[in-house]
């Protein structure tokens, strides 16, 4: 293996940071051999912080109405073939009830940017969940809102917020989004969320149209600077009713490579093995965990709406009941030596010496 590549991986493992040029070098020089070199390092760090626990999040896709028109997304405003739905507060609470019995202690409310869920209604939903399940964390993934809105939702009890930055390169951002959307606003949102006190998540799609090693290097440099608590990355997958329908999907190999790099960069980070990764490869999520991920997000949405929340083609698990998804993932994780835990699964910014010892015994 290239000696420079090896020394950069060693330095990333030790110092947890590289320059943008060095990140670009890592991205350009991925190889099977380099992957074999980085994987055990990513696994070791992951075990030091999280042992062999895998955190689960119950994903509730509460609305597929969206005022935005992101060029890659299947629920974009101008997709007239998309059959639209929104869940009521009661339906969302029912999903939480089901989830609680299945051992979920984090609910992720994800949706399009739907004005029907104004601050008053969304705060009501968040506080109803927190009242019923005070031992659970609520994560919101409801797009760009005002600082005041983020503050109110936080005060209503929301613990975490996921807002992928999508790309840290302004020009690339403008190729993925219509002119009415703004890179600066997305970044503003992320900094507001962090300042307000949310456990904050950013992230990007791997292999999105017009992505280059340089734009990916700016993603890594941004993540390095921002030091998020969570980082959602998964392959881009085309959706038949979007302008990017003929673009190719991101690859398993590149996604795994980036997961391992991010684990070395941010040892503490909550890093999901995403549904998109499970969609491009039957063992994608298992491979994601083995590359350094520590979170999975099975679907808790009512089966009747699952197929309608289609961000990309052929999304998996759209026909299964929540219990089936949960059991399936339990088996999949056990098969690779990991275990799903009944826990809120908060970020752990301190290395656990106990886990370090466990690791030595393994
Ligand atoms: N409206 C919310 C939630 C968006 S959906 C928000 O703006 O944050 C969650 C994520 O799915 C997006 O951030 C995007 O990165 C990802 N996504 C959308 N379309 C996709 C596609 N075609 N392939 C893979 N991931 C996609």
């Amino acid at each position: 293996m290239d000696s420079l590549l090896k020394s950069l991986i060693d330095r990333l493992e030790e110092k947890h940071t590289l320059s943008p040029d060095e990140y670009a070098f890592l991205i350009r020089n991925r190889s099977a051999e380099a992957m074999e070199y980085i994987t055990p390092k990513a696994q070791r760090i992951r075990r030091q912080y999280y042992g062999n626990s895998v955190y689960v999040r119950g994903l509730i896709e509460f609305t597929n109405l969206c005022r935005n028109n992101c060029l890659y997304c299947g629920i974009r405003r101008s997709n007239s073939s998309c059959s639209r739905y929104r869940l009521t507060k009661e339906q969302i609470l029912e999903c939480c009830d089901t989830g609680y019995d299945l051992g979920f202690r984090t609910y992720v409310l994800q949706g399009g940017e739907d004005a029907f869920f104004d601050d008053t209604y969304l705060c009501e939903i968040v506080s109803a969940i927190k009242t019923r399940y005070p031992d659970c964390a609520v994560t919101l993934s409801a797009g760009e809102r005002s600082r005041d809105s983020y503050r109110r939702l936080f005060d209503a009890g929301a613990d975490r917020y996921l807002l992928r930055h999508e790309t840290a390169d302004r020009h690339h951002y403008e190729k993925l989004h219509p002119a009415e959307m703004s890179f600066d606003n997305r970044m503003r949102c992320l900094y507001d969320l962090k300042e307000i006190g949310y456990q904050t998540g950013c992230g990007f799609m791997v292999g999105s149209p017009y992505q280059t090693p340089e734009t990916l290097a700016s993603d890594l440099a941004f993540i390095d600077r921002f030091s998020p608590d969570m980082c959602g990355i998964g392959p881009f997958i085309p959706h038949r009713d979007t302008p990017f329908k003929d673009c190719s999907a991101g690859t398993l190999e590149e996604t795994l490579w980036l997961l391992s790099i991010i684990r070395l960069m941010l040892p503490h980070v909550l890093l999901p093995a995403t549904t998109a990764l499970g969609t491009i490869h039957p063992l994608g999520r298992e491979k994601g965990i083995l590359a350094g991920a520590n979170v999975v997000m099975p679907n808790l949405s009512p089966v009747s709406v699952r197929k309608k929340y289609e961000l990309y083609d052929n999304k998996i698990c759209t026909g299964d009941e929540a219990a089936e998804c949960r059991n399936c993932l339990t088996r999949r994780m056990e098969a690779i030596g990991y275990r799903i835990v009944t826990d809120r699964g908060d970020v752990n910014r301190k290395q656990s010496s106990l886990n370090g010892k466990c690791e030595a015994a393994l």
Side-chain angles (χ1 to χ4, degrees), residues 35 39 42-43 46 251-253 255-260 271-274 277-278 280-296 329 332-333 335-336 338:
M35 197 64 218
T39 307
Q43 280 183 9
R46 182 224 187 280
T251 66
L252 173 76
E253 291 74 18
T255 308
L256 298 176
W257 179 233
L258 287 159
L259 284 171
S260 294
L271 192 61
T274 60
L277 192 55
I280 59 163
H281 189 283
L283 296 176
R285 286 168 300 177
E286 289 89 329
K287 288 173 187 286
I289 295 292
L290 292 169
N294 65 332
V295 173
V296 288
L329 274 171
R332 284 170 179 266
M333 295 301 118
I336 55 167
Y338 288 80

Side-chain angles (χ1 to χ4, degrees), residues 72-73 110-111 143 163-164 166 186 205 235-237 311-312:
Y72 44 84
C73 185
Q110 187 180 90
L163 185 79
R164 291 188 177 182
E166 311 297 358
R186 197 132 188 117
M205 293 175 288
F236 159 76
I237 305 173
L311 306 176
Y312 47 81

Side-chain angles (χ1 to χ4, degrees), residues 12 29 31 51 54 150-151 172 182 192-193 216 221 229 232 267 276 280 283 287-288 297 311 314 322 351:
L12 186 60
N29 291 278
S31 64
V54 174
Y150 289 147
R151 148 76 47 205
H172 185 211
S182 136
D192 279 350
L193 289 163
L216 274 174
D229 301 294
I280 59 163
L283 296 176
K287 288 173 187 286
M297 299 172 66
L311 306 176
N314 305 317
Q351 181 173 342

